[in-house]
Amino acid sequence: MHTEKLDNILETTGKSSSELIEVLQEVQKTYNYLPEDILRNVSEKLEVPLIEVFRVANFYKAFTLKPRGEHILTVCMGTACHVRGAPKFLDEVLGQLGIKPGETTEDGEFTVETVNCLGACALGPVVVLDGKYYDHMTAGKLRVLIQKYRNKSCKESKKQ
Amino acid sequence: MNEYVTLTINGSKVKTPQGTSVLDAALSYGICIPHLCHMPGISPIGACRLCIVEVVKNGKSKVTTSCTLEVEEGMVILAHTERILKARKNIAEMLVAEAPNSRAIQDIALRCGVKEVRYPFRNKDCVLCGRCVRICAETWQSKSLGFVGRGSERHVALPFDKRPEFCKQCNDCINVCPMTITPCPGPMKKGEEFFCGLCESQLSMAENIVDTCVDCRLGEGFNCLRAKNK
């Protein structure tokens, strides 16, 4: 079952060793992270040494080897956001979710990441949740936002 | 037939086949340039920076690592100038600060004229010389381990931190590692590191005999002339 998905990916990207990053990006899109057995298959199919695949997967921040949550919360820790109080509300959020930066909550709902600058300093502190930007964040606003997403996914699971 | 080139290292004429590195040429003539990451028969990476030399060209000199420098006809190399000795001493000092728990590194540093370490000790288990990585990939064609991570988090690792099934278990990665020989006073704890320098008294005897570093099994032929001209 796993290899089928990978074969589909390899059909679109090709099996050249130079397509490694592209393949990994597709794998990440499909599985939301890079599973170990898939990477072993990638190494075999593309004829790239396993350590090379592992190295590339570790090098880029866009790749992750751990399963990620459904919602990805990125908190900007750039200079402007830092000055406007990003570390304070980050602490609060982490306390609320009970995790550290880069970790995922136990229920697999949220992954919190920090980033050095999103390039939207005038809007700081900036938070990105599932690709959507939220400006002028405060601890209160963020708590409401997280609760909203929690409720949303709760409702969805109830419907199912 | 190999084509030969003639170059000058420290004022002496050296004739060597084309394609060899300046470091290999110097070592084959008994001119000792300290080195750590270099291994005979394995591709150079210039990681430890100990083998730096001055290359004189058009009246200007440039500092580069001699292990990655290929010989050229009429090259002029100066391996033990004051500028080089000073820089090399500093590099050796930093290596000791990075990994004091290695007799090989302590030994090299002593021979480069280090008296004390002015940098804070980090006491890592690795100086990223890449000996293990290269011997695995080149001699054994296995590629079981490699550099992972970037910047200050760069380290040697196995894929997924597990020994892969294609690892030949030759143990060469451990045999060539400079960290396997502990310094004479024993392993150093964090916060209690120091520059050993115990064998300094033996240096004067060992200095002029080839291949008699105090215990430098790693740098074969490593017989760094200490700052004699100082």
Side-chain angles (χ1 to χ4, degrees):
Chain A
M1 166 207 153
H2 275 323
T3 45
E4 260 173 46
K5 273 185 189 170
L6 182 60
D7 285 337
N8 286 339
I9 291 167
L10 288 175
E11 252 171 53
T12 54
T13 56
K15 283 189 183 178
S16 152
S17 61
S18 57
E19 303 290 337
L20 176 62
I21 288 176
E22 208 145 306
V23 172
L24 291 184
Q25 275 177 333
E26 288 298 316
V27 171
Q28 170 109 357
K29 222 185 257 172
T30 322
Y31 295 93
N32 217 3
Y33 77 109
L34 299 176
E36 189 183 325
D37 48 340
I38 299 291
L39 289 194
R40 283 179 193 276
N41 273 327
V42 167
S43 147
E44 250 169 59
K45 294 256 164 73
L46 296 184
E47 293 177 7
V48 176
L50 186 60
I51 186 71
E52 194 74 15
V53 178
F54 186 62
R55 194 177 63 81
V56 171
N58 259 286
F59 187 87
Y60 294 103
K61 227 182 170 180
F63 296 133
T64 165
L65 291 158
K66 280 187 227 148
R68 291 216 284 184
E70 210 171 316
H71 307 295
I72 291 152
L73 181 74
T74 315
V75 182
C76 181
M77 299 301 267
T79 316
C81 294
H82 185 100
V83 169
R84 294 188 188 184
K88 258 189 209 165
F89 74 76
L90 177 69
D91 274 352
E92 202 149 319
V93 172
L94 294 176
Q96 191 187 343
L97 297 171
I99 51 170
K100 281 181 195 144
E103 285 181 352
T104 308
T105 48
E106 265 176 40
D107 52 4
E109 284 276 332
F110 289 97
T111 298
V112 180
E113 281 171 354
T114 59
V115 71
N116 285 335
C117 188
L118 288 164
C121 303
L123 302 175
V126 183
V127 159
V128 184
L129 189 55
D130 288 350
K132 222 173 149 189
Y133 281 64
Y134 296 90
D135 55 287
H136 297 104
M137 261 302 151
T138 57
K141 267 184 179 176
L142 192 59
R143 206 178 297 131
V144 174
L145 191 68
I146 288 172
Q147 208 54 49
K148 210 169 91 189
Y149 267 77
R150 266 236 166 100
N151 292 340
K152 215 200 257 173
S153 46
C154 275
K155 272 178 203 163
E156 274 167 20
S157 58
K158 267 178 198 169
K159 270 180 201 167
Q160 284 166 2
Chain B
M1 266 291 281
N2 275 333
E3 273 186 46
Y4 281 80
V5 289
T6 324
L7 63 153
T8 324
I9 304 177
N10 283 0
S12 46
K13 279 244 156 72
V14 168
K15 203 178 168 197
T16 177
Q18 224 163 27
T20 49
S21 68
V22 171
L23 178 62
D24 279 328
L27 290 178
S28 66
Y29 271 76
I31 302 165
C32 291
I33 300 169
H35 53 270
L36 180 73
C37 68
H38 168 83
M39 275 185 295
I42 303 273
S43 69
I45 53 167
C48 69
R49 318 304 293 180
L50 279 170
C51 66
I52 48 167
V53 290
E54 267 188 83
V55 191
V56 184
K57 216 174 194 179
N58 302 333
K60 284 179 192 167
S61 80
K62 207 178 91 186
V63 179
T64 30
T65 48
S66 59
C67 64
T68 51
L69 188 67
E70 214 171 273
V71 288
E72 271 169 42
E73 185 64 49
M75 230 179 194
V76 180
I77 306 285
L78 297 168
H80 297 308
T81 58
E82 207 154 296
R83 184 181 170 198
I84 288 291
L85 288 172
K86 205 176 158 197
R88 196 180 280 152
K89 186 181 153 194
N90 207 13
I91 290 164
E93 212 173 312
M94 285 194 265
L95 282 174
V96 176
E98 194 79 1
N101 254 329
S102 160
R103 194 167 169 184
I105 292 168
Q106 293 259 6
D107 202 56
I108 288 170
L110 181 66
R111 276 156 185 284
C112 291
V114 176
K115 292 270 186 279
E116 51 161 353
V117 176
R118 294 162 296 174
Y119 300 100
F121 282 102
R122 284 206 223 157
N123 206 346
K124 286 187 182 172
D125 298 328
C126 184
V127 287
L128 302 175
C129 65
R131 288 171 75 107
C132 50
V133 174
R134 282 172 298 145
I135 205 160
C136 189
E138 289 172 31
T139 308
W140 296 94
Q141 296 285 319
S142 170
K143 292 191 180 165
S144 303
L145 75 173
F147 288 118
V148 169
R150 58 174 160 174
S152 59
E153 273 142 52
R154 194 161 185 251
H155 62 283
V156 174
L158 297 163
F160 307 103
D161 297 323
K162 280 177 230 155
R163 192 198 285 266
E165 65 272 23
F166 49 81
C167 166
K168 292 168 181 157
Q169 309 209 4
C170 62
N171 272 345
D172 260 4
C173 45
I174 296 161
N175 293 339
V176 296
C177 180
M179 299 304 298
T180 49
I181 320 165
T182 45
C184 315
M188 294 171 189
K189 280 181 200 144
K190 277 222 162 149
E192 291 173 16
E193 302 93 343
F194 54 93
F195 175 63
C196 175
L198 280 180
C199 5
E200 200 175 0
S201 56
Q202 292 178 41
L203 266 185
S204 55
M205 293 190 294
E207 212 164 348
N208 299 317
I209 315 162
V210 180
D211 280 349
T212 45
C213 288
V214 182
D215 189 25
C216 191
R217 272 179 272 167
L218 291 152
E220 267 194 12
F222 169 75
N223 180 21
C224 154
L225 298 165
R226 280 201 304 156
K228 254 189 180 170
N229 45 0
K230 263 191 179 178

